[in-house]
């Protein structure tokens, strides 16, 4: 990507974000586009008009998935686990799984799992645990157990969370269906058990430090709390604060083992992560190619597995979605529930946008336009 092309793309990005700030989509955003990081700051930090900093710390939610996927692939390269190895030696809570006979079956209408859940199943959302888009006994049981994916902070430690999940049957046989999200909470716990250290420590030493991610983690240090933005949810009266500036779940000492939780980060840090990933400083080319290539068989991409139209020209690699058709074929990336998003093109272009407004129709509109920016 040439310097002039990068400048043109940056200008387009700035105009797009400014238009959405003016329309009330979000108070402000920090973003970058190009092979190198060049932060664009548009708008303010919140409805009160406080200035927005280029180094603001955001709750990146599901953009965590790509980070934990890379840490898992590092363990594969070191021989700690194979992609198709059972996770049961490290997660005995998930041994002898039961599987629903059909998606709407009662919780006791099950058969034994054909095989154990593998690392590959977790990386590709095919473990049998995850979002159930239709009303069913399993969906209601997940909600009753407080395990539904939301943007609310974790309300229990990793062990308690895993034990609650293990009481439920799988929605489908391992590797023969696709359900979003919960596999990556399991993956976070698995990382620490394989490595023999807390997942927080493993991520710090294997990903954050090698990539130069100084402001990424589960916790925000007290002396940097002023950089943590508030998080908002849109309501009929405007934007309601759901997490305070400088506070909330990510501030102060960890209340429990948060291996199944999600990260905070900055635009510069996440760009550094993606740059290190592309440059081969985190994993080798073979696993990187698999990460950014569709790993989900066509028969698994059923209309009831996620929201309508999700699979149109889209696949899933390891911890990220991939574009399988059209002008952006080969692009990989993913979003976070509080209005953050990234993508990486085959030519090395990196685009990251971070807002702090929970996903809704307006934020989805912004992200759809983001995907059409000239690279």
């Amino acid at each position: 990507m040439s310097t002039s092309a990068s400048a043109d793309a940056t200008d387009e990005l700035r105009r797009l974000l400014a238009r959405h700030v003016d329309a009330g989509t979000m108070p402000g955003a920090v973003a970058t586009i190009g092979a190198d990081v060049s932060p664009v700051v548009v708008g303010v930090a919140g409805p009160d008009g406080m200035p927005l900093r280029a180094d603001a710390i955001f709750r990146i939610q599901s953009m965590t998935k790509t980070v934990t996927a890379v840490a898992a692939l590092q363990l594969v390269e070191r021989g700690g686990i194979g992609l198709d190895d059972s996770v049961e030696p490290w997660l005995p809570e998930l041994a002898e799984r039961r599987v629903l006979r059909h998606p709407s079956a009662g919780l006791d209408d099950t058969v034994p799992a054909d095989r154990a859940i593998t690392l590959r199943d977790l990386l590709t959302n095919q473990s049998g645990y995850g979002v159930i888009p239709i009303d069913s006994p399993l969906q209601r049981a997940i909600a009753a157990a407080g395990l539904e994916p939301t943007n609310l902070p974790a309300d229990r430690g990793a062990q308690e969370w895993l034990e609650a999940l293990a009481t439920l049957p799988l929605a489908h046989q391992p590797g023969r269906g696709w359900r979003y999200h919960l596999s990556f909470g399991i993956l976070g716990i698995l990382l620490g058990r394989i490595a023999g250290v807390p997942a927080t420590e493993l991520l710090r030493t294997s990903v954050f430090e090698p990539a130069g991610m100084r402001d990424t983690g589960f916790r925000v240090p007290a002396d940097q709390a002023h950089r943590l933005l508030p998080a908002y949810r849109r309501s009929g009266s405007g934007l309601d604060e759901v997490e305070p500036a400088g506070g909330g779940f990510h501030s102060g000492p960890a209340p429990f083992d948060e291996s199944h939780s999600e990260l905070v980060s900055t635009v510069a840090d996440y760009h550094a992560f993606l740059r290190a990933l592309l440059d081969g400083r985190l994993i080798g080319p073979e696993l990187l190619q698999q990460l950014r290539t569709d790993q989900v068989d066509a028969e698994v991409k059923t209309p009831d597995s996620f929201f309508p139209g999700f699979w149109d020209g889209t696949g899933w690699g390891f911890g990220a979605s991939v574009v399988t058709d059209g002008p952006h074929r080969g692009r990989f990336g993913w979003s976070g529930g509080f209005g953050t998003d990234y993508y990486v093109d085959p030519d090395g272009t990196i685009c990251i946008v971070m807002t702090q407004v929970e996903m809704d129709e307006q934020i989805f509109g912004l992200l759809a336009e983001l995907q059409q920016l000239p690279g």
Side-chain angles (χ1 to χ4, degrees):
M1 187 171 174
S2 69
T3 302
S4 60
S6 180
D8 290 344
T10 297
D11 288 343
E12 289 279 354
L13 176 60
R14 189 185 306 277
R15 285 192 289 270
L16 170 63
L17 296 176
R19 178 160 49 80
H20 275 273
V21 167
D22 291 344
T25 301
M26 67 280 188
V30 182
T32 186
I33 188 168
D36 301 316
V37 65
S38 181
V40 172
V41 181
V42 177
V44 293
D48 57 5
M50 289 294 291
L52 179 60
R53 305 166 48 133
D55 65 351
I57 298 174
F58 294 82
R59 297 163 178 85
I60 65 169
Q61 305 295 99
S62 285
M63 283 170 62
T64 301
K65 290 175 170 58
T66 314
V67 178
T68 52
V70 168
L73 295 174
Q74 290 178 333
L75 293 175
V76 171
E77 289 187 327
R78 296 172 193 152
I81 187 174
L83 283 170
D84 296 304
D85 285 352
S86 164
V87 302
E88 291 179 7
W90 299 278
L91 299 172
E93 297 90 344
L94 300 184
E96 300 179 357
R97 295 294 81 203
R98 303 289 299 182
V99 182
L100 293 181
R101 287 184 183 274
H102 55 84
S104 59
L107 298 184
D108 58 353
D109 187 7
T110 62
V111 296
D114 291 343
R115 62 165 175 80
I117 296 169
T118 66
L119 175 60
R120 186 186 299 274
D121 294 331
L122 297 181
L123 290 167
T124 58
N125 286 312
Q126 295 185 90
S127 69
Y129 289 115
V131 172
I132 309 296
I134 59 171
D135 181 56
S136 69
L138 180 56
Q139 188 277 329
R140 294 192 292 273
I142 290 173
L147 297 170
E148 267 192 319
T150 71
N151 289 318
L152 297 174
D155 63 354
R156 71 198 86 175
Q159 183 62 39
E160 185 181 357
W161 180 88
L162 182 62
E163 289 173 356
L165 194 66
T167 65
L168 300 174
L170 303 182
H172 56 75
Q173 291 287 348
R176 288 165 54 188
W178 198 92
R179 293 292 184 271
Y180 180 61
H181 189 67
L182 294 178
S183 289
F184 281 85
I186 299 170
L187 180 63
I189 299 170
L190 177 67
L191 292 178
R193 293 193 182 179
I194 294 174
V197 298
T200 52
E201 176 68 11
L202 176 67
L203 290 174
R204 182 182 66 81
T205 58
S206 65
V207 179
F208 303 156
E209 290 181 351
M213 302 166 73
R214 295 186 297 273
D215 295 311
T216 300
F218 294 103
R219 304 279 102 202
V220 178
D223 63 351
Q224 299 301 316
H226 60 284
R227 294 166 51 203
L228 177 62
L229 295 177
Y232 297 102
R233 176 178 297 136
R234 201 179 317 277
S235 70
S237 59
L239 294 176
D240 297 334
E241 185 178 280
V242 293
E243 285 259 30
F249 178 77
H250 297 282
S251 64
F256 39 65
D257 177 3
E258 52 194 343
S259 300
H260 58 315
S261 188
E262 294 172 315
L263 299 167
V264 296
S265 189
T266 66
V267 165
D269 266 21
Y270 209 86
H271 191 282
F273 163 65
L274 295 172
R275 189 75 265 156
L277 179 62
L278 297 180
D279 291 347
R281 288 183 280 130
L282 296 178
I283 57 174
E286 181 179 346
L287 287 178
L288 173 58
Q289 184 59 27
Q290 292 183 61
L291 179 151
R292 63 191 302 172
T293 303
D294 188 11
Q295 301 291 322
V296 180
D297 292 339
E299 58 267 25
V300 171
K301 298 176 180 179
T302 57
D304 68 341
S305 63
F306 208 27
F307 60 81
F310 174 71
W311 294 114
D312 296 345
T314 301
W316 186 269
F318 293 152
S321 67
V322 297
V323 179
T324 58
D325 195 16
H328 302 298
R329 182 176 181 179
R331 171 179 288 178
F332 73 94
W334 198 234
S335 304
F338 276 123
T340 62
D341 186 86
Y342 85 90
Y343 65 75
V344 179
D345 282 333
D347 68 356
T349 296
I350 295 170
C351 181
I352 303 167
V353 170
M354 293 189 182
T355 80
Q356 71 270 33
V357 177
E358 188 174 57
M359 289 291 190
D360 63 6
E361 185 176 348
Q362 289 175 251
I363 294 291
F364 277 125
L366 164 64
L367 300 187
E369 290 187 68
L370 182 70
Q371 294 292 322
Q372 303 308 316
L373 284 177

